[in-house]
Amino acid sequence: MNAMKIATKILYGVMAVLGLILILILVSAVNPGVSQAIGSIFPEDFKWSQLLPKFPKKENPENLEEAAQAVAAAGEQLSNEATVVATVPTDQAAQALDEASEAVSAAGQALDNAASVISGTAANLGQSTAVLPVIGAARNDVPAGEAEQTGLAQSSEGDAQTASDGLNLSDDQQNGPLSETELELLKRAGLQKDLQIDYLRPSEVYIETPSHVETGGYISLAGTYETVDPIRADELRESATVGNTGDGLVFDALYYPYYQMLDNVGKALYRQIYANARDLFAPFKPAVECSQYQLDNAFEAVYCDHPELFWVDAGYYGWVTYGGEVVQAEIIFYPTAADLTAAQNTFETEANRIIRRATGSNYEREKYVHDALAGSTFYDLEADMNQSAYSSVVRGKTVCAGYARAMQYILQQLSIPCYYCHGYAGEEHAWNIVCLDGEYYNVDVTWDDQGDEVVYDWFNRADTDFRKTHARRDLSVYLPACQGTTWRGLEDKSYYPAAQLPDGTHNITDYGLTEADLLGSLQAYNDDCRRRINEMGIGSYTFWNAVGDPHVLNEIDAEFSKKENLPFMSELTFDWERYSIHVEYYPLSNGGYAIQHFVTIRNNTTDTTTNTTNTTNSTETTNTTTEQSDQTP
């Protein structure tokens, strides 16, 4: 029987017994004949107070069971003696009434004591079984990484389908504060039962923050909860709908590790949160019954897996019943959600500027993205939307969360697994874990951004390298351990994004070319472009070449300015319907220019919207405005 039901039954029982006593005393007072007749059977020295109940002397019962037994005993004694008290002679009625009042007062004191214990016990039960969830409870009071030290990582007591699964508390444990082990079990609600921790988490006590790195600004994802009464809970259930449940969505384990951490309930919530976030469906009713902890873990998983949801803020609301069930949740969006299509177009355009220049091996592309973000982003605590990838990619001002989400998003687009990792680095902090050739590495772009200089102190490092400065928290502890060696610490020199060379130019080798690749005439340039396009064919792609003479560049630029087909688009080995080619020029230290080409070619089989009345090679040609840039490629 739960605490509230026990308290209610005790209260009603005591009130009924005390009411009966008072009625019998009044009857005896108005009917002295009856009282004297019954009273004659007692000796003259008999004290009516002897018949009154003797309540426990202990003023502070230790637990709910003791308090309940005390009040129950008092009520039973009152009931047994009530008929005798009614026989009090008239001349002793006042005294009996006073003594009865004392009994009532004593019973009331016993009930107050019991209620105090009941309240305290219910609070403890609320902590351990989510009977009374705490509004806005902090989720980092016990770091999740301590799980391996308490054996929680090996727990196999069944999927955490409810907030209290896996908890078997004794009476003493229920009446006291939750242990770290018990609290950790609660925070595993919604996670896989056999979830393992390979990461060896360092103690936060020994974490030190280097003096030369940027800190501050990280905001932990947190839910704000309100506990509602049954009537309000029913109203919320009726007013909300589930929205988009995301049924049928599939998330690749290599790119979305947080989804894989969840059990079936957690995954159902994850899909629903993700789908509703995409649809801008803010308030929703959970599609499956869940607790606060299950919702928390699902939100964290979505938030950490999907940097492309840049319009989702680092917070959400939840409404829970007294029993801990979430009846409604609400996603919080940034203002960019008001015109999401435009914001997405801007975000993708800016991200693609980095993506299409990232060439070479996965390591080379990873390094390029690291350098591009660190070289073009400023650390700004006041930056708008600074927990999102948008703040870094579009606005160029952010904090650690923005750096990490931008790195994650762009590497994902390049098919390089990259995870968002958060924890403690002297204060709350975010960084990345990158997978290269099956090996995992830590990357902290934020700390590698030293203003005018980009360093590699925190680029592709093992957990042992991060042990004195970074400690993971929450679900991030379940990400793979970083023990890679192949690509670890290869970059020892600093990189200067503003100018690799004193005059602001670059070496031709910076673009994957050699001096032998320099083209000496317009005809040589057209022949090289035609060869490249014939090799790559229909689709979207990029390629580089270079010219050694600025006069040749002027001729090339003039060709792109004409409103007609480019010379190298003739005599191709395949048919095309339309194309778009955009070029960017980069000055070289030898006086020439590197040229990057962004090509999109379509035909009637690859683009069903093509105007079929146009004949081959005579359709509309789009030549985008030529841009010259001294940006790092």
Side-chain angles (χ1 to χ4, degrees), residues 196-217:
Q196 303 292 319
I197 298 179
D198 298 323
Y199 166 69
L200 183 61
R201 187 177 187 275
S203 173
E204 293 185 0
V205 175
Y206 302 106
I207 294 295
E208 297 179 355
T209 306
S211 60
H212 63 282
V213 301
E214 297 284 4
T215 60

Side-chain angles (χ1 to χ4, degrees), residues 255 351-352 354-370 406-418 435-436 542:
Y255 295 95
N352 284 336
I354 298 175
I355 292 169
R356 65 196 182 195
R357 295 173 183 169
T359 59
S361 67
N362 279 355
Y363 173 78
E364 291 170 328
R365 293 191 293 168
E366 177 209 13
K367 178 179 175 293
Y368 175 77
V369 175
H370 166 276
M407 183 77 167
Q408 179 189 16
Y409 174 79
I410 293 175
L411 289 188
Q412 281 181 345
Q413 302 308 302
L414 291 169
S415 299
I416 299 174
C418 180
C435 180
L436 295 175
T542 182

Side-chain angles (χ1 to χ4, degrees), residues 170-416:
S170 65
D171 290 340
D172 291 340
Q173 288 174 315
Q174 289 180 347
N175 292 328
L178 286 172
S179 69
E180 291 184 0
T181 301
E182 295 158 0
L183 183 58
E184 193 58 42
L185 281 173
L186 283 177
K187 294 174 72 174
R188 283 176 57 88
L191 303 183
Q192 291 282 2
K193 65 180 180 181
D194 56 352
L195 199 57
Q196 303 292 319
I197 298 179
D198 298 323
Y199 166 69
L200 183 61
R201 187 177 187 275
S203 173
E204 293 185 0
V205 175
Y206 302 106
I207 294 295
E208 297 179 355
T209 306
S211 60
H212 63 282
V213 301
E214 297 284 4
T215 60
Y218 181 87
I219 299 176
S220 295
L221 176 71
T224 301
Y225 287 92
E226 178 184 348
T227 303
V228 295
D229 59 41
I231 295 176
R232 178 60 176 152
D234 288 339
E235 292 175 349
L236 290 171
R237 289 190 186 97
E238 293 176 1
S239 63
T241 62
V242 297
N244 189 342
T245 62
D247 290 344
L249 291 175
V250 177
F251 299 95
D252 190 325
L254 185 60
Y255 295 95
Y256 304 102
Y258 287 93
Y259 177 75
Q260 316 307 319
M261 300 175 188
L262 304 175
D263 63 15
N264 290 336
V265 170
K267 287 178 178 177
L269 292 170
Y270 177 111
R271 293 191 297 268
Q272 184 183 15
I273 294 168
Y274 172 76
N276 282 331
R278 289 193 313 176
D279 295 347
L280 299 181
F281 195 87
F284 64 90
K285 177 171 60 178
V288 292
E289 185 175 332
C290 68
S291 69
Q292 171 183 334
Y293 287 105
Q294 288 171 308
L295 187 69
D296 285 342
N297 284 332
F299 259 106
E300 181 181 346
V302 172
Y303 190 72
C304 292
D305 267 347
H306 295 282
E308 74 276 15
L309 300 177
F310 59 80
W311 57 92
V312 176
D313 204 345
Y316 52 93
Y317 297 114
W319 289 264
V320 296
T321 66
Y322 291 141
E325 178 193 354
V326 179
V327 293
Q328 190 176 119
E330 182 173 346
I331 305 170
I332 302 176
F333 298 125
Y334 283 120
T336 49
D339 190 358
L340 185 56
T341 300
Q344 286 178 308
N345 289 338
T346 301
F347 177 74
E348 292 169 3
T349 297
E350 295 302 319
N352 284 336
R353 292 182 185 277
I354 298 175
I355 292 169
R356 65 196 182 195
R357 295 173 183 169
T359 59
S361 67
N362 279 355
Y363 173 78
E364 291 170 328
R365 293 191 293 168
E366 177 209 13
K367 178 179 175 293
Y368 175 77
V369 175
H370 166 276
D371 296 348
L373 290 174
S376 63
T377 306
F378 295 93
Y379 197 92
D380 187 353
L381 294 175
E382 302 301 322
D384 191 27
M385 295 175 63
N386 62 19
Q387 303 302 301
S388 72
Y390 191 92
S391 61
S392 173
V393 172
V394 176
R395 294 174 175 168
K397 296 180 180 181
T398 192
V399 296
C400 59
Y403 280 97
R405 293 190 191 284
M407 183 77 167
Q408 179 189 16
Y409 174 79
I410 293 175
L411 289 188
Q412 281 181 345
Q413 302 308 302
L414 291 169
S415 299
I416 299 174

Side-chain angles (χ1 to χ4, degrees), residues 35-266:
S35 298
Q36 291 174 2
I38 298 176
S40 63
I41 65 175
F42 296 97
E44 293 182 359
D45 60 348
F46 179 76
K47 300 294 186 179
W48 295 105
S49 60
Q50 296 174 14
L51 298 178
L52 296 173
K54 304 300 187 291
F55 292 93
K57 296 296 185 183
K58 192 169 186 177
E59 295 182 355
N60 297 305
E62 295 180 354
N63 56 50
L64 176 61
E65 182 178 0
E66 181 180 337
Q69 289 176 350
V71 177
E76 183 177 356
Q77 190 174 356
L78 282 170
S79 179
N80 291 339
E81 302 297 344
T83 54
V84 181
V85 173
T87 64
V88 176
T90 304
D91 56 354
Q92 297 183 33
Q95 179 184 350
L97 184 60
D98 290 340
E99 292 171 341
S101 297
E102 292 176 5
V104 172
S105 177
Q109 181 63 47
L111 185 60
D112 288 343
N113 291 339
S116 176
V117 175
I118 290 168
S119 176
T121 303
N124 287 336
L125 287 173
Q127 282 184 301
S128 62
T129 63
V131 172
L132 297 174
V134 179
I135 296 178
R139 301 185 59 228
N140 288 325
D141 44 1
V142 177
E146 303 296 336
E148 69 273 21
Q149 301 173 15
T150 60
L152 293 175
Q154 315 303 324
S155 173
S156 59
E157 298 298 322
D159 285 355
Q161 297 298 327
T162 66
S164 59
D165 277 0
L167 281 179
N168 293 308
L169 306 181
S170 65
D171 290 340
D172 291 340
Q173 288 174 315
Q174 289 180 347
N175 292 328
L178 286 172
S179 69
E180 291 184 0
T181 301
E182 295 158 0
L183 183 58
E184 193 58 42
L185 281 173
L186 283 177
K187 294 174 72 174
R188 283 176 57 88
L191 303 183
Q192 291 282 2
K193 65 180 180 181
D194 56 352
L195 199 57
Q196 303 292 319
I197 298 179
D198 298 323
Y199 166 69
L200 183 61
R201 187 177 187 275
S203 173
E204 293 185 0
V205 175
Y206 302 106
I207 294 295
E208 297 179 355
T209 306
S211 60
H212 63 282
V213 301
E214 297 284 4
T215 60
Y218 181 87
I219 299 176
S220 295
L221 176 71
T224 301
Y225 287 92
E226 178 184 348
T227 303
V228 295
D229 59 41
I231 295 176
R232 178 60 176 152
D234 288 339
E235 292 175 349
L236 290 171
R237 289 190 186 97
E238 293 176 1
S239 63
T241 62
V242 297
N244 189 342
T245 62
D247 290 344
L249 291 175
V250 177
F251 299 95
D252 190 325
L254 185 60
Y255 295 95
Y256 304 102
Y258 287 93
Y259 177 75
Q260 316 307 319
M261 300 175 188
L262 304 175
D263 63 15
N264 290 336
V265 170

